[in-house]
Amino acid sequence: MSRPKNEPGLPTWRGDALRLRRLAAGWTTGTLAERVGVSKSTIARWESGIHAPTSEDVARLAAALDVAITVFAKEPRVV
């Protein structure tokens, strides 16, 4: 199940980073979905920022794409 984006206490999700990494790997949403164990529509919602993945999903995404999990988090802004 996805969590709403910007859940308090968790880093802000970067769906654009997921999309860029997926495209760089030459994968469709279906390919990534199969590797992570979710549906294509779930990948699409994560990439668009409608929803953000759970921490377990982020770990599976990072492993599938061979990147650090921090790739998918926005840097905090100091105000």
Side-chain angles (χ1 to χ4, degrees):
M1 175 115 193
S2 297
R3 64 178 165 80
K5 69 180 198 176
N6 300 331
E7 183 175 305
L10 295 173
T12 303
W13 172 248
R14 286 194 55 210
D16 60 327
L18 175 58
R19 181 176 180 273
L20 290 173
R21 294 295 177 151
R22 176 182 60 78
L23 292 173
W27 296 348
T28 65
T29 55
T31 302
L32 182 57
E34 286 179 22
R35 292 176 184 248
V36 176
V38 298
S39 69
K40 292 189 306 185
S41 61
T42 296
I43 298 293
R45 285 191 299 268
W46 290 344
E47 287 184 355
S48 68
I50 293 171
H51 288 282
T54 64
S55 56
E56 293 85 12
D57 291 328
V58 173
R60 288 197 305 267
L61 288 166
L65 293 165
D66 195 28
V67 297
I69 60 172
T70 56
V71 166
F72 304 120
K74 287 187 181 176
E75 293 184 23
R77 291 185 355 194
V78 178
V79 180

